[in-house]
Amino acid sequence: MAHQINGIALPNEEGFFGQYGGQFIPPELKQAMDDINVAYQEIRQTEEFQNELKDLFANYVGRPSPLFHAKRLSDQLGGAQIYLKREDLNHTGAHKINHCLGEALLAKYMGKTKVIAETGAGQHGVALATACALVGSPCEIHMGQVDIEKEHPNVVKMKILGAKLISVTRGTATLKDAVDSAFEEYLKDPKNYIYAIGSVVGPHPFPMMVRDFQSIIGDEIKVQTNERFGANPDYVVACVGGGSNAMGAFTAFLNDPEVKLVGVEPAGHGLNTDKHSATLTLGKPSQLHGMACYVLEDEQGEPLPVHSIASGLDYPGVGPQHSLLKDLGRVEYTTATDQECLDAFMTLSRVEGIVPALESSHAVAWAIREAGKLPKETKIVVNLSGRGDKDSDYVAEKLGL
Ligand SMILES: Cc1ncc(COP(=O)(O)O)c(C=O)c1O
C-alpha cells in the first residue's frame, strides 16, 4: 500500500498531505481527534480488529466485489475495454459500507455511546446505520432537507435500521450544511460520541482512516487485473465528491506510474455556470471542515453553494490527499455534466443491465466519452461506486419514463 509519493508522507505525523489536511479545529476538538488517532493506530494493528473486519468484509459485505467486463458497452464504443469494479453489489449498495464497518468497529472498541454522521445521497447514512445496527451502537444521521426529499428510499432505510434522522434546513439544506450540523452535535460531548465522517475529508485522522478502510477496492482491482490479464489496468477511473471511492480505488496504484488515474468531478449545468461542484477543477487551496484542501469559495472566503444531479457529489471541498495528487499531477481530475451523467446512467442500464448510482455515472460518462479514442487493447477500470436504486424514481420523473 502506497503511503508516500515522491518522498511525501501520506500523511505526515500531523496529518498533512503536503500542504493539505491537518487539523484546523478548536482545541477541545483537537484533543478528541488526537484520541481517535491514537486509538485507531493501536486498535487497527490488533489481530482481533483485523480478523473481525476481514470476516465482515467477506461474509457481510460480500467482498471481493466482482470485476465485470462491460463487453457490449466496449464493443459499442469501439475502443478500449471497460471493466466495472462492482462496489454496487456490496451489502447496502455502495462502497460506503467499507469505511462504515471500520468506523463502527472502532467506535465499539473505543466504547463510544453514540455514532454521529452527515449524509448527502443517503448512502453513507444507510451504510453507517447498518454498521451501527450490526455492532449495537446508537446512531444519529444529519441530512439536508433537500436531499431528504430527493433520496426517499435511503431515508426510509435509515429509519428502519434504527438511526435517528436529523433534518437540516439551514443554508442550501444539502451536504455541507449537514456536515456543519453533525459537527455541532458531536462537539456537545466528543469524549463519549464519535463522528463517523462519510468520506476522506475533515480533520486528521479521518482522511487517512477512511482511505485505509477503502483501499481494499484498489487492492482487489490489482489482484483481479493481474490474475485476469497479467498486468495492471491502463486506467482506473472514479467519481470524486469528497473522494473516498476514488482514494480507495487509486491507493494501490499511486506508485505504479503506468496506471493512469482519473478522478471525475460533477460539472453540473456546466463549468461556465454557478451550478457545478467541480472543486479541484475550479476551486483553490483554502480550508473547510477542519482541513486544508481545495475549496469552491466566494471572495469573502465563504464556501459557495454547489450543485450536482448526484447528491453525494455536491460538496464545496474535497479530500486533502486528492488536493495534493492534483498539484503533483499524479491524478488527472476532469469533469462530467449532469446531462452526460444522465446519459451514462441510461446507457449502462440499457446496454449492460446495470443501473448505476448517479454519482458513479460520472465515472461511467468519462469512460463513454474516452473509450472510443483509445486502442482496443487498452483496459479501463471504472469504479462503479454504487447502485442506482435510490436514484431510479428521480431519473424516471426527470426523463418522463
Ligand atoms: C454511490 C456513491 N458514489 C460516490 C459518492 C461520493 O463520495 P466519495 O467521493 O467520498 O466516494 C457517494 C456519496 O454519497 C455515493 O453515494
Side-chain angles (χ1 to χ4, degrees):
M1 202 184 290
H3 288 321
Q4 63 165 40
I5 188 166
N6 300 357
I8 303 170
L10 302 171
N12 70 9
E13 291 277 300
E14 285 78 44
F16 279 95
F17 301 81
Q19 62 169 308
Y20 303 104
Q23 294 176 316
F24 295 88
I25 45 181
E28 67 273 26
L29 196 52
K30 185 169 172 4
Q31 189 54 54
M33 291 297 135
D34 288 344
D35 291 348
I36 293 175
N37 189 27
V38 169
Y40 170 66
Q41 304 285 1
E42 263 175 40
I43 292 169
R44 74 163 180 178
Q45 316 243 9
T46 64
E47 227 178 284
E48 194 189 351
F49 182 85
Q50 280 184 9
N51 286 342
E52 199 169 351
L53 191 60
K54 202 165 145 197
D55 175 60
L56 291 176
F57 274 170
N59 300 311
Y60 190 72
V61 180
R63 306 206 69 91
S65 62
L67 186 70
F68 172 72
H69 185 192
K71 197 166 175 319
R72 262 170 51 82
L73 181 64
S74 308
D75 286 350
Q76 268 192 17
L77 297 166
Q81 301 306 303
I82 298 172
Y83 292 79
L84 304 173
K85 178 62 174 163
R86 300 289 310 274
E87 292 297 296
D88 60 312
L89 293 179
N90 292 346
H91 178 45
T92 70
H95 70 292
K96 300 276 175 186
I97 191 72
N98 300 329
H99 69 252
C100 286
L101 281 175
E103 288 177 326
L105 274 187
L106 187 66
K108 183 179 87 167
Y109 279 64
M110 289 178 76
K112 298 286 185 181
T113 56
K114 182 158 84 170
V115 181
I116 301 167
E118 82 297 336
T119 194
Q123 289 303 118
H124 175 61
V126 168
L128 192 67
T130 302
C132 285
L134 180 72
V135 305
S137 289
C139 174
E140 183 175 300
I141 306 289
H142 295 238
M143 187 170 187
Q145 183 56 33
V146 168
D147 295 334
I148 287 181
E149 281 156 28
K150 198 160 146 198
E151 305 288 357
H152 183 68
N154 276 345
V155 171
V156 174
K157 257 186 235 159
M158 283 185 269
K159 289 183 182 166
I160 289 173
L161 290 160
K164 183 171 168 196
L165 192 78
I166 307 288
S167 157
V168 180
T169 52
R170 69 176 80 172
T172 55
T174 57
L175 187 55
K176 179 201 160 282
D177 311 293
V179 176
D180 291 339
S181 168
F183 252 110
E184 278 164 26
E185 178 61 24
Y186 171 61
L187 269 175
K188 287 180 190 163
D189 189 359
K191 231 181 165 37
N192 290 307
Y193 299 167
I194 187 165
Y195 192 114
I197 277 181
S199 190
V200 285
V201 297
H204 181 62
F206 282 100
M208 170 187 76
M209 235 166 64
V210 172
R211 177 213 50 208
D212 290 351
F213 292 133
Q214 286 295 348
S215 57
I216 182 101
I217 302 175
D219 290 345
E220 287 177 6
I221 295 174
K222 196 166 223 180
V223 171
Q224 288 166 323
T225 51
N226 278 274
E227 269 175 13
R228 201 153 333 158
F229 24 85
N232 283 335
D234 299 293
Y235 288 84
V236 178
V237 187
C239 66
V240 180
S244 64
N245 87 92
M247 232 30 270
F250 295 164
T251 293
F253 301 103
L254 283 182
N255 290 314
D256 295 329
E258 79 283 8
V259 183
K260 296 180 194 67
L261 305 174
V262 181
V264 188
E265 296 194 298
H269 294 192
L271 293 178
N272 54 353
T273 71
D274 60 0
K275 293 225 170 321
H276 64 78
S277 186
T279 308
L280 288 160
T281 307
L282 291 181
K284 57 176 197 218
S286 184
Q287 288 172 17
L288 184 69
H289 293 141
M291 61 177 164
C293 65
Y294 274 77
V295 182
L296 284 168
E297 61 183 21
D298 64 19
E299 262 139 43
Q300 283 72 49
E302 286 300 310
L304 285 165
V306 284
H307 161 87
S308 168
I309 191 169
S311 307
L313 300 183
D314 57 1
Y315 182 59
V318 66
Q321 190 167 348
H322 285 292
S323 303
L324 172 69
L325 293 171
K326 174 193 159 76
D327 287 0
L328 294 177
R330 175 61 188 98
V331 179
E332 179 197 343
Y333 293 96
T334 176
T335 60
T337 63
D338 284 356
Q339 189 57 52
E340 287 176 298
C341 161
L342 266 178
D343 292 346
F345 179 100
M346 290 309 297
T347 300
L348 196 68
S349 300
R350 301 233 161 139
V351 178
E352 298 288 358
I354 295 172
V355 181
L358 284 172
E359 290 79 11
S360 328
S361 301
H362 285 75
V364 177
W366 182 90
I368 290 175
R369 192 165 73 206
E370 301 298 326
K373 303 176 198 163
L374 295 164
K376 278 202 164 52
E377 56 279 9
T378 303
K379 295 177 178 69
I380 299 174
V381 173
V382 174
N383 192 31
L384 203 69
S385 55
R387 67 175 82 128
D389 304 29
K390 67 184 178 58
D391 301 312
S392 299
D393 286 350
Y394 176 80
V395 171
E397 201 187 311
K398 192 147 180 88
L399 300 182
L401 299 176

